């Protein structure tokens, strides 16, 4: 029986809140706090089952978060606000001695460069305080990292090649929309590509490398090599990896819109003066694009995300594919939001459950692949994200 504080009331926050409310035996009291109180209240009313308290907080402001934590006294803070808030929320957790969990690594606002170094630097401070921080417990990073840990534990003696494949085979009926926070999403996918090979990072131009990959129940989709944050921790934690890459599907229409957005300067993250006021074009764009949390109603189709791995077992080469397919409609019927928010929020809730029930233990800062994957893999299907696996199949990569 534990109290949990959820910060962030977007699409992902809605799913985390809904799932925590479904499990009172672990989450005995739930507080949902965010910058805009009315968004917390809507979520509490629509999916809270009468079990969610709400509060307003600006999570960029450490004393405000500290005050809220001291008032509510949670055992764990689940951070599903934006990556910019990771460090202030971690600072507040340190000051109050409360555990921390998030789904995306920190990036500074003025530079679109996400890396774990800022959060890993908190390891000793968390350890000394006797608390834990769980980093990257959404789907990717999150479940993909746990799939890799599961494969390493049960299917391989050595991992050699890892390809994380992320397909959104759904259609939301809009000309252009992002599936999670537009500002964060566009910063991520307009960056240069990067992958790990033979002990070093290789950089590519954005979307330079493309392959047609076949996804279960969806079919063949153009898949582009991009950099994704879990690669950084996985190559550190699995040093036998000779190569690690991340692939994401994009349709031609999506890429055309993205190119136009960049060409006309709307992806800029430096301020421009508009009528005497500093405006950051990408921040402004977020307010004219569809709200990702509201795409669910007309979204059809499925996501399919998984890990395709080659390595050695008992002296022989082996291939292994582990994945989940998630239906946008099913996610919407259950929580009122689409599969991208759903596939992020469910693992965040389950990761929180792992911490609170002491299935995941430790003092310091950890990426999820550092914990035992088994209790998580046993439960994730029951909470809505069942996984499938196939050994010795053609991985296409
Ligand atoms: P949204 O933009 O829908 O929601 C973000 C929420 O955070 C909003 O409620 C917003 O408030 C709130 N917020 C922003 N700034 C502050 C602040 N300073 N203080 C308090 N609250 C704040 O994003 P999503 O729900 O789509 O995504 C949430 C997180 O999940 C992101 O970090 C994203 O990167 C991550 N993610 C991770 C994935 C994974 O698989 N690991 C996949 C998808 C997303 P307001 O409404 O006032 O703006």
């Amino acid at each position: 029986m534990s109290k949990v504080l959820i910060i962030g009331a977007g699409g992902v926050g809605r799913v985390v809140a809904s799932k925590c409310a479904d499990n009172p035996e672990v989450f005995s009291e739930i507080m949902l706090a965010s910058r805009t109180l009315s968004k917390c209240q809507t979520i509490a009313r629509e999916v809270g089952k009468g079990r969610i308290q709400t509060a307003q907080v600006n999570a960029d402001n450490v004393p405000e978060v500290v005050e809220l934590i001291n008032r509510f006294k949670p055992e764990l803070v689940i951070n599903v606000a934006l990556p910019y808030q990771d460090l202030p929320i971690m600072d507040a957790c340190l000051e109050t001695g409360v555990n921390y969990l998030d789904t995306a690594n920190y990036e500074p606002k003025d530079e679109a460069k996400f890396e774990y170094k800022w959060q890993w630097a908190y390891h000793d401070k968390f350890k000394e305080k006797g608390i834990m921080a769980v980093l990257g417990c959404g789907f990717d990073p999150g479940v993909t990292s746990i799939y890799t840990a599961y494969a390493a534990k049960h299917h391989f003696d050595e991992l050699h090649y890892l390809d994380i494949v992320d397909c959104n085979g759904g259609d939301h009926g809009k000309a252009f929309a992002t599936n999670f926070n537009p500002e964060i999403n566009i910063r991520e996918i307009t960056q240069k590509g990067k992958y790990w090979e033979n002990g070093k990072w290789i950089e590519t131009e954005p979307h330079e490398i493309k392959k047609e990959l076949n996804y279960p129940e969806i079919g063949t989709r153009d898949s582009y090599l991009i950099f994704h944050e879990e690669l950084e921790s996985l190559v550190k934690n699995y040093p036998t990896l000779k190569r690690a890459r991340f692939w994401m599907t994009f349709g031609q229409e999506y890429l055309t819109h993205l190119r136009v957005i960049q060409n006309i300067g709307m992806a800029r993250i430096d301020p421009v003066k508009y009528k005497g006021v500093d405006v950051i074009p990408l921040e402004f764009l977020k307010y004219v694009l569809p709200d990702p949390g509201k795409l669910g109603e007309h979204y059809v189709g499925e996501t399919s995300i998984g890990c395709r791995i080659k390595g050695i077992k008992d002296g022989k080469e082996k291939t292994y594919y582990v994945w989940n397919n998630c239906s946008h409609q099913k996610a919407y019927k259950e929580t009122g939001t689409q599969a991208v928010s759903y596939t992020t929020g469910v693992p965040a809730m389950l990761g929180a459950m792992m911490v609170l029930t002491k299935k995941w233990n430790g003092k310091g800062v950890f990426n999820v692949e550092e914990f035992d994957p088994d209790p998580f893999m046993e439960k994730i299907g029951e909470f809505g994200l069942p996984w499938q696996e196939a050994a010795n199949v053609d991985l296409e990569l």
Side-chain angles (χ1 to χ4, degrees):
M1 299 281 276
S2 319
K3 286 180 169 188
V4 68
L5 169 62
I6 304 163
I7 302 184
V12 179
R14 168 182 275 265
V15 176
V16 176
S18 166
K19 287 291 190 180
C20 287
D22 284 341
N23 291 284
E25 69 294 350
V26 177
F27 305 101
S28 54
E29 276 185 60
I30 305 159
M31 162 84 74
L32 174 63
S34 191
R35 187 167 52 187
T36 311
L37 179 63
S38 60
K39 291 194 185 175
C40 303
Q41 292 166 332
T42 304
I43 292 174
R45 193 176 57 247
E46 291 180 1
V47 295
K49 293 109 197 161
R51 303 198 45 246
I52 296 181
Q53 305 170 54
T54 58
Q56 198 274 335
V57 73
N58 174 8
D60 292 324
N61 182 322
V62 179
E64 264 191 47
V65 183
V66 166
E67 194 275 323
L68 178 63
I69 292 177
N70 282 336
R71 188 151 44 92
F72 183 61
K73 301 200 185 324
E75 244 179 77
L76 171 75
V77 175
I78 303 177
N79 168 18
V80 281
L82 299 181
Y84 316 129
Q85 281 82 52
D86 288 4
L87 300 189
I89 298 177
M90 286 177 84
D91 283 329
C93 285
L94 259 180
E95 197 172 324
T96 50
V98 170
N99 299 307
Y100 169 91
L101 178 143
D102 70 24
T103 67
N105 67 7
Y106 175 73
E107 67 179 88
K109 237 184 173 321
D110 53 2
E111 195 191 358
K113 192 169 196 315
F114 48 88
E115 286 187 74
Y116 277 116
K117 70 169 186 209
W118 288 285
Q119 291 180 279
W120 284 343
Y122 280 67
H123 181 72
D124 290 346
K125 287 189 265 182
F126 268 68
K127 198 171 162 189
E128 277 158 29
K129 192 81 183 183
I131 53 175
M132 75 194 291
V134 178
L135 306 184
C137 198
F139 206 100
D140 44 345
V143 177
T144 51
S145 326
I146 294 166
Y147 283 168
T148 305
Y150 184 80
K153 182 171 175 184
H154 296 287
H155 291 276
F156 292 97
D157 299 321
E158 273 186 25
L159 305 183
H160 286 175
Y161 299 95
L162 166 68
D163 284 282
I164 299 172
V165 291
D166 177 333
C167 171
N168 183 357
D171 181 3
H172 45 54
K174 308 265 184 205
F176 181 84
T178 62
N179 294 293
F180 65 95
N181 183 282
E183 185 186 333
I184 304 300
N185 192 195
I186 291 173
R187 282 165 71 114
E188 172 182 288
I189 59 181
T190 52
Q191 283 193 27
K192 290 203 170 190
K194 199 163 82 170
Y195 64 100
W196 180 257
E197 193 163 50
N198 297 327
K200 58 179 193 297
W201 291 105
I202 306 208
E203 208 172 71
T204 71
E205 288 308 308
H207 315 139
E208 180 188 335
I209 301 182
K210 179 183 107 173
K211 270 184 194 296
E212 287 184 359
L213 298 178
N214 192 44
Y215 295 89
E217 320 296 330
I218 293 174
T220 302
R221 289 286 187 281
D222 286 346
S223 309
Y224 295 84
L225 186 147
I226 65 169
F227 178 60
H228 222 243
E229 63 195 62
E230 64 266 52
L231 294 179
E232 190 188 359
S233 67
L234 287 170
V235 300
K236 185 174 94 137
N237 288 319
Y238 297 98
T240 58
L241 279 172
K242 298 175 200 283
R243 190 182 66 205
R245 303 181 294 191
F246 187 100
W247 303 86
M248 189 175 272
T249 60
F250 300 112
Q252 283 314 311
E253 188 66 5
Y254 183 91
L255 289 176
T256 304
H257 276 81
L258 200 62
R259 205 164 50 244
V260 174
I261 286 170
Q262 286 177 284
N263 285 346
I264 62 172
M266 287 304 293
R268 280 174 58 174
I269 58 171
D270 55 320
V272 296
K273 278 264 183 269
Y274 175 72
K275 296 189 176 176
V277 178
D278 275 345
V279 175
I280 294 174
L282 183 57
E283 278 184 14
F284 173 76
L285 184 67
K286 171 182 186 288
Y287 289 90
V288 293
L289 287 176
D291 177 352
K294 300 217 166 80
L295 292 173
E297 194 177 352
H298 303 292
Y299 224 136
V300 292
E302 295 186 353
T303 59
S304 179
I305 313 175
C307 295
R308 299 184 184 187
I309 303 172
K310 268 188 230 170
I312 299 286
K313 180 72 178 170
D314 299 327
K316 285 202 213 100
E317 276 204 353
K318 179 176 178 181
T319 65
Y320 178 70
Y321 181 20
V322 52
W323 74 95
N324 161 264
N325 272 36
C326 181
S327 149
H328 287 288
Q329 275 303 302
K330 228 171 121 201
Y332 180 72
K333 280 199 191 102
E334 186 189 331
T335 60
T337 190
Q338 33 79 2
V340 177
S341 304
Y342 189 85
T343 54
T344 310
V346 171
M349 178 283 298
L350 183 53
M353 200 178 255
M354 294 288 112
V355 174
L356 296 172
T357 56
K358 313 267 184 269
K359 297 269 180 4
W360 288 354
N361 268 309
K363 291 175 179 43
V365 172
F366 303 93
N367 291 91
V368 289
E369 67 271 18
E370 295 175 78
F371 300 115
D372 183 2
D374 292 352
F376 185 98
M377 293 290 275
E378 269 161 32
K379 287 268 177 203
I380 186 81
E382 173 188 322
F383 290 121
L385 297 175
W387 48 278
Q388 299 182 65
E389 60 182 350
N392 293 323
V393 286
D394 176 11
L395 300 179
E396 306 176 290
L397 287 152

